[in-house]
Amino acid sequence: MKKLFLTLIAIVATGLAGFAQTTLADAYKSLSGLSGMSEQSVGKVAVGQSSAINNVKTSSVSVGQGQVQDYRDKFVWMTENLPVRNMIIGANNQRELAAVYAVPAGGGLYNVLILKGNTLDGTFSTSYGQTTKAGINAIRNCQVTMDSSELVLTPAASSGSGAFISMTD
């Protein structure tokens, strides 16, 4: 009887572990802690005429071709471990990656995680901050442009001229 009970507990624990999620803060902490990443704080980044991402922390690195694959794999792995339902916009063509995730933080605010990687020039960055529903809508309505040397998420003309995804440039 005792073995059956312990087996049931193990099965339930294993099943519940599958529901465990990586939080956006954990994802930022994990990626920003990679070797060579340097962090800077940015007070506010405009994503529309009347919306911004606030309290932004950005960690970035520029690596040589020998390390590109390792960083790309870690960034792609993180996108695969974050719930897709929290992704509000994203693109990946195996050379460039950009994704923005958002989850409610309470009080009308949303935590936002931005991931960006470019295997061609070896630049990788992750940013974390807070915005409002208007900021989420501005991000969601962005135009994604990708080509061999550039990856840009541009807010629609109606939401202003903020360029949030390239804030580390």
Side-chain angles (χ1 to χ4, degrees):
M1 185 66 159
K2 191 176 189 181
K3 286 183 181 182
L4 177 62
F5 180 70
L6 291 175
T7 302
L8 288 174
I9 288 176
I11 291 170
V12 169
T14 303
L16 291 176
F19 290 109
Q21 297 180 19
T22 302
T23 67
L24 300 186
D26 290 342
Y28 176 79
K29 184 177 178 182
S30 176
L31 291 175
S32 67
L34 293 174
S35 175
M37 293 288 264
S38 62
E39 184 178 77
Q40 67 178 10
S41 292
V42 180
K44 182 165 123 175
V45 176
V47 293
Q49 292 175 339
S50 61
S51 55
I53 301 174
N54 298 304
N55 305 316
V56 179
K57 297 185 291 185
T58 298
S59 291
S60 60
V61 67
S62 184
V63 297
Q65 287 301 312
Q67 295 177 294
V68 165
Q69 188 68 32
D70 185 47
Y71 276 83
R72 184 190 74 86
D73 291 347
K74 288 176 180 169
F75 271 67
V76 169
W77 181 87
M78 189 58 69
T79 64
E80 292 172 351
N81 283 286
L82 291 167
V84 72
R85 69 181 173 276
N86 295 337
M87 181 188 286
I88 58 175
I89 193 167
N92 178 3
N93 68 4
Q94 299 300 313
R95 293 178 313 217
E96 297 116 344
L97 159 77
V100 182
Y101 294 83
V103 295
L109 294 177
Y110 290 79
N111 290 329
V112 177
L113 175 71
I114 301 168
L115 304 176
K116 179 180 147 188
N118 185 324
T119 62
L120 298 173
D121 65 9
T123 59
F124 296 86
S125 68
T126 181
S127 302
Y128 182 79
Q130 290 76 39
T131 193
T132 62
K133 184 69 172 173
I136 296 300
N137 288 333
I139 296 167
R140 184 174 281 128
N141 293 315
C142 285
Q143 175 184 344
V144 179
T145 306
M146 299 179 81
D147 72 35
S148 63
S149 63
E150 184 176 59
L151 179 133
V152 179
L153 273 71
T154 308
S158 63
S159 66
S161 60
F164 63 90
I165 199 69
S166 59
M167 71 180 89
T168 61
D169 293 346

